[in-house]
Structure formats: C-alpha cells, structure tokens
Amino acid sequence: MTSVKDDDPLSSSYESALSALFGPLHNQVTTKQDMEAAQARRHLTVSEMRTYQRRLARNLNINLDPKPNQRILHIAGTKGKGSTSAMCEVLCRNGSGENSGITTGLFTSPHLCDIRERIRVNGQPISKDVFAK
C-alpha cells in the first residue's frame, strides 16, 4: 500500500479512499451467498461508473459530456491490456495530423507503483486530493 505522511492534510481522506478500494467488497468471493451478492451488485456497476466519471470531471474541472467526434477505446482480454492501453493513450495524445494533442483519459487496474496511476488524464496520474474525493 502507498504510504502517506502523517502531516499531510489529505492523509485521512486519501487513506479512506484506499481502504474503500481495497475493502472486503473488492476481494474474491468464494461462497455461493457471496457470489449471488456480487452478481446483484454488477447491475449497479455502469451507474456507479457514470457517477465516478461525473465526480472526477467536476474535481478536474473538465467537461465529459459526449461530443459528436468523441472516441472511446475499450480494451478487453486476458493479457496485455495495461501495456496496450498505455501505448494507445500515448499515440492518441502525441499522434500526428488530426489526432495530435487530443485530451486523453485512462483507467487501468491494477497499478504498478502508486494507486493514483490507475486513473490518468493526459498521461498524468490524478492528484491525491482528486483521488480522495
């Protein structure tokens, strides 16, 4: 887990966000009852994702309303999603011609070094303050 200095004013809310992320809700379920509860929660996933997307946009002061020319790339599979996503994000952000300099957002899991690198805007991890909110 990422360490946070005690004198950091964001420490408690950042630690709360980490606890929520790594709490029992996100652990592997093994009992039939837990599997049924997890399946029931899946119906809320898209709704919750939209809520977090709006919250992130508000905290970063950006507009995430769909635009006619907006492109979304969803990468799925069993291996290589993180590196493929990172490479596609860099190509979109630093591409040439009409794709040069577009705003990018990237969500990956798991993280490598710091929990905040899971959510990146224009190649930069979000701040502790935004993560905690």
Side-chain angles (χ1 to χ4, degrees):
M1 186 178 289
T2 305
S3 63
V4 178
K5 294 180 183 176
D6 289 336
D7 58 11
D8 184 350
L10 298 173
S11 159
S12 63
S13 54
Y14 180 72
E15 289 298 328
S16 297
L18 288 176
S19 295
L21 181 66
F22 292 122
L25 180 67
H26 297 284
N27 290 339
Q28 183 68 31
V29 296
T30 54
T31 68
K32 183 177 180 177
Q33 182 180 10
D34 287 343
M35 287 182 199
E36 289 171 354
Q39 184 176 6
R41 281 192 306 270
R42 284 189 201 112
H43 295 288
L44 298 174
T45 302
V46 173
S47 171
E48 289 174 341
M49 185 171 53
R50 288 184 181 132
T51 299
Y52 291 130
Q53 181 185 29
R54 284 191 299 270
R55 187 183 299 169
L56 181 61
R58 183 178 61 243
N59 287 313
L60 293 174
N61 198 26
I62 57 177
N63 184 359
L64 292 180
D65 293 333
K67 298 165 187 68
N69 61 349
Q70 185 175 13
R71 305 283 196 282
I72 296 174
L73 179 61
H74 180 188
I75 299 172
T78 56
K79 295 189 185 232
K81 294 178 298 297
S83 56
T84 301
S85 298
M87 183 173 48
C88 290
E89 189 270 338
V90 169
L91 289 172
C92 289
R93 193 166 27 92
N94 298 326
S96 61
E98 65 183 50
N99 292 328
S100 180
I102 61 174
T103 300
T104 61
L106 178 66
F107 173 79
T108 60
S109 181
H111 60 280
L112 297 176
C113 299
D114 187 305
I115 187 76
R116 295 173 299 122
E117 72 189 44
R118 290 182 180 201
I119 304 170
R120 287 179 265 177
V121 177
N122 287 330
Q124 298 300 312
I126 61 172
S127 68
K128 286 183 180 180
D129 183 38
V130 170
F131 181 85
K133 291 179 182 179

